[in-house]
Amino acid sequence: MDAHSCLDVASFALAYGMPGLLEEAEDFVLRNFQEVSTSLKFLDLPADKLLDFLHSDGLCAPSELAVFRAVVVWVEANPAERLAQAQELMTGVRFQLMTFKEFREVRAINLQLLLLLQTLDQCRIRRPKDALVLVGGDQLDPDLGKRLPSRQLWFANSLRTGTGLVKAMDWRILGEIPEKPRFRHGVGVMEGRLYVIGGCEFYTKTDTLKSVYRYDPMQDSWQRLADMQEYRSNFSVVVWGDRLYAIGGDMDMNTNLDSVEDYSPVSDTWSFAKPLDQALSGHAATLLDGEIFISGGFDCRYQCLTSMFLYHPERGTTYLAEMSQDRAQHCMEVLHHGGGGLCVVGGVCNLHTFYTDQLACEVYDSVSDSWSALTPLAIPHVGAASVVLEGKIYVLGGYCQEDYRETRLVHRYEPITQRWENIGKMPGPNTDIRACLLHLPKHLRQ
């Protein structure tokens, strides 16, 4: 499904009574509204369907000006018939979210669309269907006794709180992890429920965890699940098929693991899968086209690696082209825009006998098995969290290796401009934190 076919898919699903496919297609339209609005099929949308999209809080666009322009294009495709519908459609444009400069463009439109001036009460912030959720983390302090690992869950209630293009995030508390705080843990979302796995509660060898909890946002409740078979921190979690996989990590902050465990929610059990070729921690893992990719990390001597490989729970490891830069404690996300690929961002790299911040970013093309440069970060993000939301990469928090200052900022990569944008501060502890996208019911997002 893409921007040119999603509306056809929605029409097909509606005609043949396929509600699941219809929801998926309409969600795609909302997430990619600006691209969809440039397609020929968009011009054939019925007015009532377009209005449904415009009134949705989940509609994603770079600004309300882009939403306004889409309505103008739709009206101008057949002004004789559609001008009469323009006023009602303009009730879906939230003009109070525009800057003065943007609104001047609105006023310059030479149409009877200036009826829209009666609709300036549309000031609700648009929110994506899935909320960006932060889980746990640590707060750096030179005095270990003053460090306060977190049990908190925060979520971004909206991605813009000011008018126009002011970059900010409205953070709110979602709840707390039961029992113990944790950082360097793993998180995964499967069938709409959040899994919080392993990690550390503090900094001694005995503080590594193997406990697992599951959060159900529909019930707003937690459940204790079966422990992993090994204590594990600084590892990666992926959801592959109907199972969760906990990959590598370290067992006591000093000893790396090559083991991989998979969790079955049906039987509430953990089993060992085929191990990695070498013990790893601080690596990144994610899915692309149904395959598990793993990049970088620390080896057994805690050297940062340049490796990139495919992992299969039965076949094991297949090595791919190496990154041009070594890195660990970094992020890796799938970017579908601008050619697409797997983007590696942030972390640390080797520098003689110690580490330094890795600001360089790269993108991997799985078709050509090659790497190319991506716009580098302006500031360090070591031990940061990351997600992809609305086609953009969010890198959240972390710290600076050079002086151990916390990076209390969120940066977002915009593939259209190929720039990193500062969109505000983190809400709480932000080092070795984890992030995910989770669908929250409306009563939790009020």
Side-chain angles (χ1 to χ4, degrees):
M1 189 160 20
D2 59 27
H4 299 284
S5 66
C6 57
L7 291 172
D8 284 326
V9 173
S11 298
F12 175 86
L14 182 63
Y16 288 92
M18 304 170 70
L21 181 60
L22 178 61
E23 181 181 6
E24 183 178 348
E26 291 187 344
D27 282 348
F28 186 93
V29 174
L30 291 172
R31 292 195 308 271
N32 301 275
F33 183 78
Q34 187 175 24
E35 291 178 78
V36 174
S37 68
T38 64
S39 69
L40 291 175
K41 188 65 179 179
F42 177 79
L43 301 179
D44 296 329
L45 262 181
D48 59 343
K49 193 69 224 175
L50 176 55
L51 190 61
D52 287 345
F53 288 134
L54 295 173
H55 277 298
S56 173
D57 287 348
L59 186 146
C60 300
S63 72
E64 287 300 305
L65 182 58
V67 179
F68 172 76
R69 287 170 175 167
V71 176
V72 172
V73 167
W74 185 90
V75 171
E76 290 184 330
N78 188 355
E81 293 184 10
R82 295 179 175 180
L83 199 56
Q85 300 165 306
Q87 183 175 11
E88 184 178 11
L89 288 171
M90 287 300 172
T91 65
V93 182
R94 302 176 185 183
F95 294 98
Q96 286 190 353
L97 300 180
M98 290 185 181
T99 63
F100 179 74
K101 182 178 179 181
E102 289 169 336
F103 195 72
R104 280 196 303 180
E105 178 173 331
V106 171
R107 296 291 300 270
I109 296 294
N110 187 23
L111 289 171
Q112 297 177 39
L113 297 181
L114 289 179
L115 294 169
L116 58 83
L117 291 175
Q118 301 172 22
T119 68
L120 290 180
D121 59 340
Q122 297 295 315
C123 58
R124 298 189 314 280
I125 300 296
R126 297 198 188 274
R127 302 187 182 106
K129 180 178 179 180
D130 293 324
L132 196 168
V133 176
L134 298 178
V135 184
D138 189 22
Q139 192 163 353
L140 293 185
D141 193 293
D143 183 350
L144 281 179
K146 293 182 180 179
R147 292 193 177 182
L148 296 172
S150 176
R151 293 172 52 202
Q152 292 179 325
L153 275 69
W154 293 81
F155 72 98
N157 194 49
S158 64
L159 302 183
R160 186 172 63 243
T161 57
T163 58
L165 297 180
V166 174
K167 302 299 189 299
M169 304 182 82
D170 174 22
W171 292 102
R172 302 188 186 183
I173 285 282
L174 178 60
E176 290 189 338
I177 306 167
E179 195 179 351
K180 296 178 179 179
R182 59 187 71 205
F183 58 97
R184 296 183 183 174
H185 48 300
V187 298
V189 175
M190 188 161 52
E191 297 183 346
R193 293 181 290 184
L194 168 66
Y195 291 76
V196 181
I197 306 164
C200 299
E201 61 173 308
F202 210 64
Y203 288 89
T204 70
K205 288 185 176 182
T206 60
D207 288 330
T208 305
L209 305 168
K210 59 179 179 179
S211 57
V212 181
Y213 286 89
R214 180 170 62 199
Y215 174 67
D216 184 343
M218 307 314 285
Q219 304 297 325
D220 194 20
S221 63
W222 290 89
Q223 180 183 1
R224 174 72 183 263
L225 304 177
D227 288 355
M228 287 188 293
Q229 300 195 52
E230 294 198 279
Y231 294 93
R232 202 178 291 267
S233 75
N234 213 11
F235 62 109
S236 292
V237 171
V238 296
V239 177
W240 191 69
D242 60 352
R243 291 173 179 260
L244 283 162
Y245 288 81
I247 302 171
D250 60 59
M251 61 185 301
D252 57 9
M253 291 194 165
N254 290 300
T255 307
N256 284 352
L257 298 165
D258 64 0
S259 65
V260 178
E261 299 182 50
D262 69 86
Y263 175 76
S264 168
V266 175
S267 60
D268 187 29
T269 56
W270 289 89
S271 305
F272 283 112
K274 193 172 184 67
L276 302 173
D277 274 9
Q278 65 173 315
L280 283 180
S281 67
H283 51 288
T286 194
L287 289 183
L288 176 64
D289 297 330
E291 296 186 290
I292 302 171
F293 289 77
I294 298 176
S295 63
F298 297 114
D299 64 13
C300 287
R301 296 176 299 165
Y302 281 83
Q303 292 291 302
C304 301
L305 301 173
T306 59
S307 60
M308 178 70 154
F309 59 88
L310 285 172
Y311 170 78
H312 191 280
E314 296 174 356
R315 298 192 298 268
T317 301
T318 303
Y319 282 91
L320 305 169
E322 293 190 347
M323 298 180 286
S324 65
Q325 306 279 341
D326 58 284
R327 69 183 70 231
Q329 298 284 76
H330 60 291
C331 304
M332 180 166 66
E333 297 290 350
V334 179
L335 190 64
H336 292 292
H337 294 267
L342 284 164
C343 300
V344 290
V345 177
V348 295
C349 56
N350 302 314
L351 183 65
H352 306 301
T353 59
F354 51 91
Y355 304 121
T356 190
D357 297 301
Q358 177 61 275
L359 299 179
C361 302
E362 301 182 59
V363 58
Y364 175 75
D365 184 336
S366 61
V367 176
S368 62
D369 186 29
S370 62
W371 292 88
S372 57
L374 196 71
T375 307
L377 293 168
I379 63 173
H381 284 275
V382 181
S386 63
V387 297
V388 172
L389 182 60
E390 303 174 29
K392 303 174 180 65
I393 299 176
Y394 287 74
V395 179
L396 304 107
Y399 66 95
C400 170
Q401 180 68 30
E402 294 295 316
D403 57 13
Y404 289 96
R405 286 183 297 108
E406 289 190 313
T407 305
R408 301 191 60 83
L409 295 173
V410 180
H411 281 95
R412 178 174 69 184
Y413 180 73
E414 171 55 71
I416 295 175
T417 61
Q418 299 182 9
R419 295 175 59 186
W420 289 97
E421 302 172 307
N422 176 359
I423 57 169
K425 292 184 178 180
M426 295 285 288
N430 69 317
T431 300
D432 292 315
I433 201 168
R434 297 296 180 259
C436 65
L437 298 181
L438 189 63
H439 181 59
L440 300 180
K442 287 185 178 179
H443 72 273
L444 292 180
R445 298 184 70 162
Q446 296 303 316

